[in-house]
Amino acid sequence: MSGFPLSRRDFDEIYGRVPRLCVEVVISGPAGVLLSRRDIEPCLGQWHLPGGTVFFGESLTAAVARVAARELGVSVAVGDLLGYIEYPFMAADGYRGWPIGIAFDATISSGQPVGSAEGSETGWFTEIPPDTIREQADFLNRLVRVPS
């Protein structure tokens, strides 16, 4: 977890006991919604919204911009708050922790999505793939209007 404020051990110890505040980056447009395929656990191999932990003292919008840069290689203009995502199925599948994601609309202001070590494959989808993290798929299908 290079570049993160906690070691992996501290991260697991803390977030195995308390909810973890995260942001989710929802970028959509005429080509659909932008997802990346996870190259790491949890949810290895599944499509997902780029997202991550909010650092202590970091605003939610700054976290959205940081996550978009780290996971997609793009700069974004952060838009509206779209809602929140809880992850009970991840917890039931044995993931240690209880992330709660605050989802924000975002628009790419510069760069092209290139992915990262966390998810190198990216794609635009007009329909949410069946192998998307379940809670995110439910959220996107319910709340985010994906252009068709």
Side-chain angles (χ1 to χ4, degrees):
M1 292 184 43
S2 176
F4 290 90
L6 297 172
S7 70
R8 173 46 90 186
R9 181 177 177 219
D10 289 343
F11 182 92
D12 289 343
E13 179 67 23
I14 292 167
Y15 292 119
R17 296 177 183 212
V18 299
R20 177 169 57 105
L21 180 61
C22 300
V23 292
E24 315 291 358
V25 183
V26 182
I27 299 172
S28 60
V33 65
L34 180 61
L35 302 174
S36 65
R37 189 180 296 274
R38 289 191 60 85
D39 289 336
I40 60 170
E41 289 291 355
C43 305
L44 177 69
Q46 293 183 330
W47 290 102
H48 81 294
L49 291 167
T53 303
V54 177
F55 295 159
F56 184 78
E58 182 179 40
S59 72
L60 295 175
T61 56
V64 170
R66 175 181 51 78
V67 167
R70 188 186 78 236
E71 291 194 20
L72 298 170
V74 298
S75 295
V76 297
V78 181
D80 293 335
L81 169 67
L82 299 173
Y84 67 93
I85 305 170
E86 293 184 84
Y87 292 89
F89 298 114
M90 283 177 63
D93 287 342
Y95 174 69
R96 187 173 184 213
W98 188 273
I100 299 173
I102 308 298
F104 283 87
D105 183 38
T107 304
I108 296 173
S109 55
S110 68
Q112 293 294 320
V114 294
S116 69
E118 295 176 19
S120 58
E121 183 181 358
T122 64
W124 293 93
F125 296 90
T126 57
E127 293 184 21
I128 304 306
D131 56 343
T132 299
I133 294 175
R134 185 172 175 180
E135 293 90 345
Q136 292 183 357
D138 291 346
F139 176 81
L140 289 168
N141 285 319
R142 189 177 64 246
L143 296 176
V144 178
R145 185 167 179 250
V146 178
S148 50

